[in-house]
């Protein structure tokens, strides 16, 4: 497997895999109207191009697919950002503080260590960048992802958040880690 940086030329592929993996994972929770309005806003090309320009975005691909035309998954690492909750917990979490913004493996590639390969790469990047603390938001009922994060020492912080999808609001857990690489 191969990690490649996502470039602006990949925006359509990113939009497709992001919409597909979000729908496969969470689509059953929402009405078609809420799902469509979320997807239209979150995965619009201008929005994704902004994220490609301001975040570290990576595809996980097969070695035979170095252009990232049919990725197995993708990860978005957001340097030096905090949401309101993380700002309120500032003293607890040292800078540089990054967010694991999105981390998705395609449904047909899950459970075969693809996620582990991509997370090992992310951990390497955090170490190279001298990241001291990390946060992410995970759906409260997404036990599979929570177990996955826990294996990497990214743990439930005891704090909760809300995640709006159209008119629907989900309960999310704040997961965090502090690194001493
Ligand atoms: C969660 C996810 C990233 C894990 O990646 P993966 O490639 O499927 O996982 P791996 O095969 O590398 O497994 C690694 C670990 O994840 C956990 N895990 C994987 N599948 C699991 C399952 N079905 N149930 C519980 N834990 C599971 C285990 O801890 C596993 O380690 P183990 O086999 O030693 O017990 C992936 O399944 C995924 O993208 N899911 C949908 C999108 C999502 O929920 N993203 C997170 C949004 S916050």
């Amino acid at each position: 497997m191969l990690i490649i940086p996502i470039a602006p030329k990949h925006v359509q592929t990113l939009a497709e895999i992001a919409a597909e993996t979000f729908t496969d994972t969470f689509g059953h929770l929402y009405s078609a109207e809420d799902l469509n309005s979320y997807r239209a806003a979150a995965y619009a090309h201008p929005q994704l191009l902004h994220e490609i320009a301001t975040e570290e975005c990576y595809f996980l691909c097969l070695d035979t697919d170095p252009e990232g035309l049919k990725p197995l998954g993708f990860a978005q690492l957001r340097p030096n950002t905090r949401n309101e909750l993380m700002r309120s917990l500032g003293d607890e979490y040292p800078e540089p503080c990054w967010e694991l913004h999105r981390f998705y493996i395609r449904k047909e590639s899950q459970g075969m260590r693809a996620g582990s390969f991509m997370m090992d790469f992310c951990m390497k990047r955090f170490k190279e960048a001298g990241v001291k603390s990390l946060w992410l938001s995970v759906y409260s009922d997404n036990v599979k992802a929570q177990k996955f994060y826990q294996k990497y020492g990214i743990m439930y912080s005891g704090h909760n958040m809300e995640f709006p999808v159209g008119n629907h609001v989900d309960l999310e857990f704040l997961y965090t880690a502090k690194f001493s690489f």
Side-chain angles (χ1 to χ4, degrees):
M1 281 181 286
L2 197 64
I3 300 283
I4 64 163
I6 299 178
K9 68 177 178 181
H10 297 121
V11 68
Q12 177 57 25
T13 306
L14 178 59
E16 283 169 13
I17 186 175
E20 176 198 303
T21 49
F22 182 86
T23 306
D24 283 344
T25 312
F26 305 115
H28 62 283
L29 297 171
Y30 314 118
S31 68
E33 194 188 357
D34 285 342
L35 184 61
N36 288 338
S37 80
Y38 176 81
R39 286 171 35 146
Y43 309 132
H45 283 204
Q47 174 60 30
L48 290 179
L49 284 167
H50 172 73
E51 293 173 12
I52 290 167
T54 56
E55 303 180 14
E56 291 195 11
C57 303
Y58 299 99
F59 283 144
L60 173 68
C61 303
L62 292 174
D63 294 343
T64 49
D65 180 27
E67 288 299 308
L69 302 176
K70 182 81 178 143
L72 308 182
F74 69 103
Q76 293 184 227
L77 285 50
R78 220 180 229 170
N80 304 313
T81 57
R82 289 175 188 261
N83 66 357
E84 200 182 339
L85 176 55
M86 280 303 290
R87 280 198 294 278
S88 76
L89 302 173
D91 289 349
E92 226 178 295
Y93 294 100
E95 300 287 353
C97 176
W98 285 28
E99 178 190 2
L100 186 55
H101 176 205
R102 293 198 184 105
F103 192 97
Y104 285 85
I105 299 295
R106 266 203 165 106
K107 195 175 170 183
E108 64 267 24
S109 299
Q110 291 174 14
M112 296 184 286
R113 303 267 149 212
S116 301
F117 186 95
M118 193 161 76
M119 186 59 98
D120 288 346
F121 171 82
C122 293
M123 287 292 168
K124 209 175 92 210
R125 273 301 302 135
F126 296 142
K127 186 176 177 179
E128 281 168 359
V131 176
K132 291 275 183 287
S133 47
L134 179 75
W135 68 279
L136 61 86
S137 170
V138 57
Y139 176 48
S140 50
D141 280 346
N142 192 350
V143 175
K144 180 172 167 177
Q146 291 177 42
K147 287 203 176 311
F148 176 80
Y149 292 135
Q150 287 164 14
K151 276 197 80 163
Y152 285 87
I154 308 167
M155 311 301 281
Y156 178 48
S157 66
H159 299 279
N160 300 337
M161 296 171 291
E162 291 182 338
F163 184 77
V165 175
N167 292 316
H168 182 103
V169 179
D170 281 329
L171 176 67
E172 297 263 312
F173 290 157
L174 176 72
Y175 265 55
T176 57
K178 286 180 230 174
F179 300 129
S180 49
F181 293 119

